[in-house]
């Protein structure tokens, strides 16, 4: 089973608890689906073996969703994928322990050799102290020889780009071939992107998947110029009004929210703060019906970070001074982030409290014991899941995990709203053991608001998405899905 890693988590973020829970109303319309039987389990398994990056080819999960499959077969296959991921993670853990033992043995041997001549050891410690200190610092940095997935985590926080595995190189080639054509097949791009997008093609893939860029290659450059020019026309027209009395509340709230950004290194850069202020204020002015809502600032960050990677190649965003980029590049990143965030928000239906209620009813059907335990200890879903819905789990998992989640969300129909519901349900049930062990209201709430995901990476997200897809397939068309 997956080993839980406990540690510090992102700063608490109090949910908005104003208003009352919406009573269960009419259920959303569902379309009855006539199930189509699959000949054998092996046939279905072969078609879905790499749905979560486990197989040798890339027939992605989205292709499965278009077919009508036997529910039991889908559940069995999804369950097997989850088991395989767990076994893979155990193997990685064993490899890490083995490598650590080898290093310790090697270190012991070197010490033994050095201690054979006390005078030599003393000379080195006295004359080359600064060199030893420098060596220690360099050893603490990520090394190019470290396999990219040894720790089970494809982390962006790596100063040296790791060598691609054969499978990663193959996937990257498939993306490049798909994107190189005169008209990108968006449906194929979604299928290929479901199980993750390589970092090097993610900026263009996200712009296409969000609907910001057209599929036709010849139209992309003119579209970018036009949209970027349009955004800065908004800035020229509206941004000076931020000091007007009728906009003071909006601008003040943006100022409060930006210091809560993650990662911390970004929010401490004045240039980043300036860019985010403009993006958020212009969006609020151009959407007066909803206006600025607390938490929207988080939804800019993934786009901003991904689009920065388009220009800094192997650099790490967290360690990079954004102000070193040319002004024209910064303007491109700002405008692209604004439009893609706007596309995302346009696709999310309002009504956070209603979504929280839907999550509560879904969990009551998925895991009645967890649901009853929360209810018995008077923990309300709104107290922890409001943030899950409002911030799309961004405060619950590291930024690298959010970016990986968004690869799939942009590949799924209504990924940021409908599929996110099942991800949240899978995320809650993922902690059932810890939840059931807590017998105190305060301890339960503290745990749910500070879940130990700080070391999560691609494998944990892959398992979470696998379980979310299984839940979606099992419950989405159930006639009593939104009834107790």
């Amino acid at each position: 089973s997956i080993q839980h890693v406990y540690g510090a988590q992102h700063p608490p973020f109090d949910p908005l608890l104003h208003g009352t829970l919406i009573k269960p109303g009419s259920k959303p319309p569902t379309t009855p689906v006539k199930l189509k039987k699959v000949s054998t389990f092996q046939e279905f398994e072969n078609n879905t073996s790499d749905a979560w990056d486990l197989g040798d080819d890339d027939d992605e999960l989205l292709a499965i969703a278009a077919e009508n499959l036997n529910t039991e077969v889908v559940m069995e296959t999804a369950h097997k994928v989850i088991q395989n991921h767990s076994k893979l993670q155990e193997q990685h853990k064993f490899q890490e322990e083995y490598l650590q033992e080898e290093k310790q043995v090697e270190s012991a041997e070197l010490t033994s050799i050095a201690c054979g001549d006390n005078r030599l050891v003393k000379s080195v410690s006295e004359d080359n102290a600064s060199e030893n200190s420098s060596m220690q610092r360099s050893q603490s940095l990520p090394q190019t020889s470290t396999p990219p997935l040894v720790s089970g985590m494809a982390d962006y926080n790596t100063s040296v780009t790791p060598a691609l595995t054969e499978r990663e190189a193959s996937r990257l080639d498939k993306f490049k071939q798909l994107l190189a054509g005169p008209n990108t097949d968006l449906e194929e791009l979604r299928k290929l992107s479901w199980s993750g997008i390589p970092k090097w093609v993610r900026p263009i893939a996200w712009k296409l998947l969000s609907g910001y860029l057209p599929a036709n290659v010849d139209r992309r450059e003119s579209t970018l110029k036009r949209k970027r020019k349009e955004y800065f026309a908004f800035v020229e027209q509206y941004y000076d009004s931020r000091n007007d009395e009728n906009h003071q509340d909006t601008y003040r709230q943006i100022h409060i929210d930006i210091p809560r950004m993650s990662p911390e290194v970004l929010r401490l850069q004045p240039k980043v703060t300036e860019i985010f202020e403009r993006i958020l204020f212009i969006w609020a002015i151009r959407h007066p019906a909803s206006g600025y809502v607390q938490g929207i600032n988080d939804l800019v960050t993934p786009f901003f970070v991904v689009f920065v990677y388009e220009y800094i190649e192997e650099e790490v965003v967290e360690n990079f001074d954004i102000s070193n980029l040319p002004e024209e590049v910064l303007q491109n990143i700002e405008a692209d982030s604004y439009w893609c965030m706007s596309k995302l928000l346009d696709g999310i239906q309002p009504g956070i409290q209603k979504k929280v209620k839907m999550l509560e009813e879904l969990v009551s059907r998925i895991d009645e014991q967890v649901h009853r335990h929360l209810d018995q200890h008077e923990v309300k879903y709104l107290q922890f899941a409001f943030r899950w819905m409002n911030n799309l789990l961004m405060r619950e998992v590291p930024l690298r995990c959010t970016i990986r989640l968004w690869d799939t969300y942009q590949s799924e129909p209504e990924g940021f709203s409908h599929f996110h519901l099942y991800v949240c349900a899978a995320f809650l049930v993922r902690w059932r053991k810890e939840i059931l062990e807590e017998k105190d209201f305060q301890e339960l709430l503290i745990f749910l608001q500070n879940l130990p995901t700080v070391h999560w990476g691609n494998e944990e997200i892959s398992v979470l998405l696998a379980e979310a897809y299984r839940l979606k397939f099992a419950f989405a068309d159930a006639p009593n899905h939104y009834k107790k």
Side-chain angles (χ1 to χ4, degrees), residues 37-61:
K37 292 190 176 181
V38 180
S39 57
T40 64
F41 172 78
Q42 286 76 18
E43 180 182 343
F44 177 68
E45 183 184 18
N46 290 337
N47 290 336
T48 63
S49 61
D50 71 329
W52 297 280
D53 274 351
L54 287 176
D56 295 325
D57 21 38
D58 286 304
D59 299 326
E60 301 302 333
L61 189 62

Side-chain angles (χ1 to χ4, degrees), residues 355-374 381 384-385 388-389 421-430 432 435 471 475 481-484:
K355 291 179 182 177
V356 171
K357 188 65 178 176
M358 290 165 65
L359 175 65
E360 180 178 354
E361 292 170 353
L362 179 58
V363 173
S364 71
R365 290 170 58 78
I366 294 169
D367 196 324
E368 186 179 358
Q369 188 178 4
V370 167
H371 175 73
R372 190 168 59 247
H373 186 78
L374 294 175
Y381 282 72
F384 63 88
W388 297 10
M389 297 298 175
L421 174 68
Y422 295 95
V423 171
C424 287
F427 187 63
L428 179 61
V429 175
R430 159 71 175 74
R432 76 180 315 273
I435 290 171
L471 294 177
F475 291 92
H481 177 45
Y482 296 111
K483 291 182 180 178
K484 291 202 172 184

Side-chain angles (χ1 to χ4, degrees), residues 101-223:
E101 287 178 2
E102 280 194 330
K103 288 180 180 179
Q104 290 175 354
V105 171
E106 184 180 350
S107 176
E109 291 175 349
L110 291 173
T111 302
S112 176
I113 294 170
C115 289
D117 188 344
N118 293 331
R119 182 180 54 79
L120 174 62
V121 174
K122 182 179 179 182
S123 173
V124 170
S125 62
E126 289 178 351
D127 299 338
N128 299 320
S130 61
E131 290 184 19
N132 288 340
S133 176
S134 175
M135 179 67 73
Q136 289 174 358
R137 285 196 299 271
S138 67
Q139 288 175 346
S140 68
L141 297 174
Q143 302 296 314
T144 54
S145 59
T146 303
L149 290 178
V150 161
S151 65
M153 184 183 299
D155 195 339
Y156 287 114
N157 301 327
T158 305
S159 60
V160 180
T161 303
L164 293 179
T165 65
E166 184 178 348
R167 174 168 174 73
E168 289 170 337
S170 174
R171 278 182 56 78
L172 180 59
D173 285 342
K174 289 186 177 183
F175 273 95
K176 287 182 176 179
Q177 290 173 15
L178 185 61
L179 295 169
N183 286 285
T184 301
D185 187 331
L186 296 181
E187 190 59 31
E188 286 300 315
L189 182 60
R190 290 187 184 96
K191 292 177 184 178
L192 198 56
S193 300
W194 205 100
S195 55
I197 304 173
K199 170 182 171 181
W200 299 271
V201 294
R202 184 176 274 129
I204 181 68
W206 274 27
K207 290 171 187 176
L208 287 165
L209 291 172
S210 67
Y212 176 46
L213 280 185
N216 183 275
V217 175
D218 294 336
R219 292 174 50 211
R220 288 178 194 167
E221 190 62 33
S222 60
T223 299

Side-chain angles (χ1 to χ4, degrees), residues 21 35 68 89 110 131 183 218 277 303 371 393 402 412 426 432 435 445 469:
L21 284 173
L35 297 178
N68 299 324
Q89 193 175 43
L110 291 173
E131 290 184 19
N183 286 285
D218 294 336
E277 283 182 1
F303 290 115
H371 175 73
L393 289 177
T402 295
E412 272 280 329
R432 76 180 315 273
I435 290 171
L445 199 56
Y469 181 77

Side-chain angles (χ1 to χ4, degrees), residues 281-349:
F281 184 77
I282 297 303
W283 189 89
I285 293 299
R286 298 200 68 248
H287 295 80
S290 58
Y292 178 78
V293 178
Q294 188 178 16
I296 290 180
N297 59 300
D298 279 338
L299 306 185
V300 182
T301 307
F303 290 115
F304 180 82
V305 169
V306 167
F307 296 156
V308 166
Y309 274 119
E310 189 173 7
Y311 298 96
I312 66 173
E313 297 179 354
E314 297 180 2
E315 291 284 355
V316 178
V317 170
E318 288 87 338
N319 300 333
F320 183 76
D321 185 353
I322 300 299
S323 63
N324 288 335
L325 288 171
E327 187 62 30
E328 182 181 357
V329 167
L330 288 173
Q331 289 181 355
N332 292 344
I333 294 170
E334 179 177 344
D336 294 348
S337 299
Y338 169 83
W339 287 115
C340 288
M341 182 205 71
S342 298
K343 292 280 187 182
L344 185 158
L345 290 172
D346 289 345
I348 297 180
Q349 297 176 352

Side-chain angles (χ1 to χ4, degrees), residues 428-443:
L428 179 61
V429 175
R430 159 71 175 74
W431 308 102
R432 76 180 315 273
K433 179 177 178 292
E434 293 84 355
I435 290 171
L436 295 176
E437 286 175 352
E438 294 289 354
K439 308 296 183 183
D440 176 74
F441 164 81
Q442 184 175 351
E443 293 300 321

